[in-house]
Every structure is written in C-alpha cells, then in structure tokens.
Amino acid sequence: MTQLAPAAPGAVWQTLSEHACFGGVQRFHRHDSALIGLPMRFGLYLPPQALAGAQVPLLVYLAGLTCTEETFAVKAGAQRLASALGLALLMPDTSPRGAGVAGEADSWDFGVGAGFYLDATQAPWAAHWRMESYLLAELLPQVWAQAPVQRGATGILGHSMGGHGALTLALRHPGVFKSLSALAPICAPTRCPWGRKAFGGYLGNDESAWAAHDASALMQAQASAPYPQGILIDQGKADKFLAEQLYLEAFESACATAGQPLTLRRHAGYDHGYYFIASVVDEHLRHHARQLSA
C-alpha cells in the first residue's frame, strides 16, 4: 500500500448548494485542500437513512475527462436507487482548478488539466496535481470523520478516466475500498494516447514509473484475487473510444491471470456518455450495496 501523509480530518466545508432529493439531500461543498494547495469542490449525497441518524455505506464516484463534481449527480440519476439502498454517494472533482499553470485549460486537449487521479512528479504539475493523496489522505478521511458514513463499508466506482482512477486506487490501496466497479474505464493508460500523454506530462519520460498507475499491470502483478467477491465493468460496444483508448481486453486478461472474478458486460448500441451510464448505473449501485453489507 502506498503510504500517504494524512491531512487534518476536521477541515471546514463550505456548503455551496443543497437540494432535497428522493428523501435525502444532495449537497455540494468547497473546502481548502492542504494537499492540493487550492480550493476543491465535491458533491455528497446522503440518503434518508443517514438523515435519520444511521451510519450508511459510502460509494465514491470518480468522474471522467471534462467532468466536474456535478456531472454524475446531475446526469446519472443514481440518487433514486441510492436512497432506496441507503447508500451515500461521494463525488469529488476530477482535478485542481485555477492553479495558474500555463496551458492548464488545454494541456491534454480534453479539459482542465485532467487529474488522472495520481500524484504528479514533474513540474509544473507536481505543485498541485496530487489527486491520489488528496482523495486517500484528505477528502476521504474528512468524509469518514464528518459525515454519517461507515469507513469500513466504502466502495469505489468510476467512469472513463475515473474508471482508471477507481481501478488503480483500489489496487494500490488494499483494504481501503471493500467493493469496486467501473464504467467504460481506461484500463491500460500506458498503451493508449490519453494515458501516454498524461503520464508523460505528470510522471516524466521514464516509462518504468508508469506501470504503478496502470490497472492492467497492477492486476497482472497480484498474487491472488484482491476482490474475491468480484469486480463489475460495463462497456458500450458503440463507444468511439473503445478500440484506441480503453483496452478492456488487457484488464480482462490480467484478471484471468490473477484469478480475479470479473463480470464484464458489453452492451450493443451504447456509447461512452451519460445516457449509457444512466442505463446501467443501478446494477453498479446494487453490486456495491451487496458487497458493502456483507
């Protein structure tokens, strides 16, 4: 497990907005991040069970390129079933914002310095692009300490770049997440144009350092199944990024080598966007609810 220095869990959250939603509440917060060095935003959905005083399981959702902390909350429709299942949803932003880094807004040609859920080691990104440390050592400890959620019942789900983040963070930090799933994830970023461009900028040209953030390489190196209850992945077969960017077959092969149970569902006619996510997200919520309650 990668060792990360924790930040203070008692930091102040500014509530930006609050919305009643299926008997629960969808809130959006901002806080000053000690590890990023900039203000960061996140969404938190609390189901009615949490509002009534229960400690509930927590599902972390990592969004993809060009998204923010609001995208999943607004577009996926996940709160309806999360309310029924008694599942809290944490939706962090994807990346630092407003660092003033030259080229920040278009550095990867697909959004604001897309964070890739890792800690950059190269200038100028290393000063603020520390998304792995931020999530694992700052935001999650704050949420565990300040929200009515169960630390030992935390799962992680992500889409596209966020799917890469969910898979890699779950494999890099065993014991933190009890359940794992992904939607159209980038499974082998060391092989695809998006990942190679980002890793070259964030981690430098020494490709030997890249494998530590590649889900397929990480799974290939596992001595036994890290998630014996199974990992769920959904993928649209009409996804225009499937062949060049996602490399699902590499992760599927790595899971077979490690003996990791994997349910990989391929759906004809579905693309990479939120119409696809909204169509399959309920199965992911049920997947996590089952494993988090076990």
Side-chain angles (χ1 to χ4, degrees):
M1 177 175 176
T2 303
Q3 297 298 313
L4 302 172
V12 175
W13 300 345
Q14 177 188 0
T15 300
L16 301 174
S17 64
E18 179 174 306
H19 315 275
C21 189
F22 297 109
V25 61
Q26 175 67 60
R27 296 186 176 119
F28 294 99
H29 299 285
R30 178 171 57 203
H31 67 147
D32 291 328
S33 169
L35 292 175
I36 297 291
L38 295 165
M40 292 293 290
R41 299 186 182 215
F42 63 94
L44 182 63
Y45 176 72
L46 295 177
Q49 298 88 338
L51 299 185
Q55 296 281 313
V56 300
L58 175 68
L59 178 59
V60 181
Y61 176 81
L62 303 184
L65 305 172
T66 76
C67 295
T68 72
E69 75 285 351
E70 293 185 318
T71 311
F72 182 78
V74 173
K75 292 185 175 182
Q79 295 95 336
R80 181 191 294 272
L81 186 57
S83 171
L85 295 173
L87 195 60
L89 304 173
L90 174 63
M91 296 150 278
D93 198 358
T94 66
S95 316
R97 311 274 176 179
V101 174
E104 173 186 337
D106 59 0
S107 56
W108 311 123
D109 301 324
F110 46 59
V112 181
F116 267 80
Y117 302 104
L118 51 74
D119 287 358
T121 60
Q122 304 298 303
W125 310 105
H128 300 291
W129 270 253
R130 306 184 65 216
M131 290 300 297
E132 182 174 11
S133 289
Y134 167 67
L135 292 172
L136 272 295
E138 186 168 21
L139 182 59
L140 266 173
Q142 288 182 18
V143 172
W144 288 329
Q146 297 179 213
V149 299
Q150 302 170 23
R151 177 171 186 157
T154 299
I156 190 165
L157 160 67
H159 168 238
S160 191
M161 180 187 73
H164 144 77
L167 296 173
T168 57
L169 295 181
L171 294 172
R172 284 171 57 80
H173 300 275
V176 174
F177 301 105
K178 192 175 179 182
S179 57
L180 171 62
S181 73
L183 300 154
I186 301 172
C187 289
T190 60
R191 306 187 200 181
C192 76
W194 281 342
R196 292 186 63 81
K197 190 171 186 179
F199 282 13
Y202 290 147
L203 302 176
N205 295 326
D206 180 2
E207 296 187 16
S208 65
W210 296 5
H213 300 279
D214 183 300
S216 297
L218 288 166
M219 182 60 76
Q220 189 80 28
Q222 298 295 312
S224 60
Y227 287 88
Q229 293 186 78
I231 297 170
L232 173 64
I233 293 178
D234 277 296
Q235 175 63 55
K237 294 174 73 172
D239 188 332
K240 66 181 180 180
F241 303 117
L242 179 57
E244 185 181 19
Q245 301 284 10
L246 303 184
Y247 284 83
L248 271 295
E249 294 80 4
F251 189 74
E252 187 176 29
S253 175
C255 284
T257 298
Q260 169 61 55
L262 172 67
T263 299
L264 174 51
R265 307 191 307 172
R266 296 174 170 91
H267 304 269
Y270 285 91
D271 62 18
H272 197 71
Y274 269 81
Y275 294 112
F276 163 62
I277 292 173
S279 298
V280 300
V281 71
D282 281 3
E283 283 307 307
H284 286 258
L285 297 183
R286 293 188 181 99
H287 166 86
H288 288 276
R290 285 192 299 268
Q291 295 194 13
L292 294 177
S293 64

